[in-house]
Amino acid sequence: QLQLVESGGGLVQPGGSLRLSCAASGFTLNYYTIGWLRQAPGKEREGVSCISSSDGSTYYTDSVKGRFTVSRDNAKNTVYLQMNSLKPEDTAVYYCATRSLLSRRCVLRSADFDSWGQGTQVTVSS
């Protein structure tokens, strides 16, 4: 499996910001379409954002549009998720994941991703 290492989670107040990082080890992350997905207790894992390897286009689930931004830093072999205006309902474990190498189209469904990071906890609370 491709190794992904996530970081940047933590506790933040409503309205605050966090930047999550997803770093790749042993492969070039920029060749892959990357998704950010999250899972809250008692809920199914849901897709949050995606950045395509084919044209760099980005996609977001409706609940985070205008607040979250996904980006790549090729030099650092890292994908980021900038999260602004955080809400309590954003509280979840956040995962980054790759699609298979030839599956470049962005999707927001967990079943369409192959390799996963370990997850990082994001808690939005006063």
Side-chain angles (χ1 to χ4, degrees), residues 1-6 22-29 76-78:
Q1 291 283 90
L2 306 178
Q3 185 175 355
L4 303 172
V5 179
E6 300 176 7
C22 177
S25 297
F27 68 100
T28 301
L29 190 59
K76 296 180 180 179
N77 203 26
T78 300

Side-chain angles (χ1 to χ4, degrees), residues 56-89:
S57 59
T58 58
Y59 297 86
Y60 305 90
T61 193
D62 286 345
S63 64
V64 308
K65 285 181 179 177
R67 301 189 296 121
F68 290 11
T69 303
V70 64
S71 61
R72 294 180 185 266
D73 187 329
N74 292 347
K76 296 180 180 179
N77 203 26
T78 300
V79 170
Y80 301 99
L81 183 67
Q82 178 68 45
M83 305 186 295
N84 298 327
S85 301
L86 283 162
K87 304 175 180 180
E89 49 264 46

Side-chain angles (χ1 to χ4, degrees), residues 10-58:
L11 175 64
V12 65
Q13 293 185 330
S17 298
L18 286 172
R19 188 176 73 165
L20 306 183
S21 299
C22 177
S25 297
F27 68 100
T28 301
L29 190 59
N30 302 316
Y31 293 162
Y32 293 84
T33 289
I34 305 297
W36 285 96
L37 306 97
R38 67 188 181 187
Q39 187 167 22
K43 295 184 177 181
E44 295 184 352
R45 191 171 296 178
E46 65 171 345
V48 175
S49 183
C50 180
I51 183 165
S52 174
S53 65
S54 61
D55 59 4
S57 59
T58 58

Side-chain angles (χ1 to χ4, degrees), residues 3-8 21 23 45 93-96 116-121:
Q3 185 175 355
L4 303 172
V5 179
E6 300 176 7
S7 61
S21 299
R45 191 171 296 178
V93 177
Y94 283 71
Y95 303 87
C96 65
W116 296 74
Q118 80 286 353
T120 184
Q121 176 71 50

